[in-house]
Amino acid sequence: MAYTLHTELINIFLKQGREEIDVQITVEEVDNTALSKKLINGISKKMDLNVFTATLERLIDILEEKYPSASIKIVDENKARSLNEKDENIVISTEIIVKFKFLGGNYN
């Protein structure tokens, strides 16, 4: 995972001001050729900073290996924004969307 994304994930977590947070992570596969979407993974548990970043990094590594030609997008659902979206006009047949959301709190 790129250093800037790693740093951004750490900063997002630290802004919550808590040692452990209930986090929900979902991974969706979007097939743009068939206009279909399916859930391929889901995790929901209390995590500290190390578990949060390690979980996302491991998921991304596995996805990059399993779907080498896919575009992988990381989305912070609390802010409804992509952390690594590239501004490219290339249509990619398969997109993997990794979404995370902090549950039950105030989010900065």
Side-chain angles (χ1 to χ4, degrees):
M1 181 187 320
Y3 176 76
T4 55
L5 179 58
H6 177 83
T7 303
E8 191 163 0
L9 290 171
I10 289 171
N11 289 336
I12 288 169
F13 190 95
L14 291 175
K15 283 181 183 178
Q16 306 315 307
R18 293 179 281 160
E19 300 246 338
E20 285 192 328
I21 303 172
D22 285 314
V23 181
Q24 181 179 46
I25 300 171
T26 57
V27 181
E28 297 173 343
E29 178 184 0
V30 179
D31 182 345
N32 292 316
T33 59
L35 299 176
S36 69
K37 183 188 293 188
K38 69 178 178 181
L39 179 70
I40 57 175
N41 200 345
I43 300 165
S44 186
K45 67 179 190 175
K46 190 174 284 279
M47 299 181 192
D48 65 16
L49 173 63
N50 294 325
V51 172
F52 174 69
T53 55
T55 300
L56 282 172
E57 287 175 354
R58 185 168 184 278
L59 262 176
I60 293 166
D61 288 345
I62 290 168
L63 292 167
E64 286 175 338
E65 187 175 308
K66 186 172 180 178
Y67 303 93
S69 62
S71 167
I72 299 174
K73 184 187 299 184
I74 316 304
V75 177
D76 176 354
E77 287 194 296
N78 301 297
K79 298 283 189 180
R81 70 180 183 100
S82 176
L83 302 181
N84 66 333
E85 192 165 15
K86 294 178 184 168
D87 194 15
E88 296 175 357
N89 292 326
I90 300 169
V91 176
I92 296 174
S93 61
T94 304
E95 286 182 295
I96 305 297
I97 303 172
V98 179
K99 300 176 183 178
F100 67 89
K101 176 173 32 177
F102 301 125
L103 304 173
N106 247 348
Y107 305 106
N108 303 316

